[in-house]
Amino acid sequence: MPSTALARRRDTTLAYVLWFGGFFGLAGLHRIYMGRWVSGVIWLLTGGLCFVGQLIDLVMMPRMVEDSNEGAGW
């Protein structure tokens, strides 16, 4: 039976797929997936901070996923 920590692990590939949703008006889904609800809703309502935040997240994604897996995103 998997432990709770393993059940919460986030996948970088899926985070990038969700990030791509920003091109279709769904910016912020990757942040919500990683447990960053507040910034995810802000990204969703502002188009990823006018897409500038989306571009920054493109570079920062591996670190964000790592932080989420370590519990920092919860």
Side-chain angles (χ1 to χ4, degrees):
M1 179 181 283
S3 69
T4 306
L6 291 177
R8 289 186 178 180
R9 291 207 47 87
R10 302 297 184 224
D11 180 52
T12 305
T13 304
L14 180 55
Y16 276 116
V17 169
L18 292 172
W19 175 90
F20 191 70
F23 289 108
F24 303 100
L26 297 172
L29 292 180
H30 63 289
R31 286 182 164 267
I32 293 170
Y33 167 68
M34 288 184 278
R36 299 169 185 244
W37 293 93
V38 174
S39 62
V41 171
I42 291 170
W43 257 239
L44 189 60
L45 296 175
T46 63
L49 297 175
C50 296
F51 207 70
V52 174
Q54 282 288 101
L55 293 177
I56 293 170
D57 283 355
L58 177 64
V59 175
M60 298 299 296
M61 190 76 67
R63 179 65 188 170
M64 291 171 59
V65 170
E66 182 180 321
D67 286 347
S68 179
N69 286 336
E70 292 175 357
W74 295 95

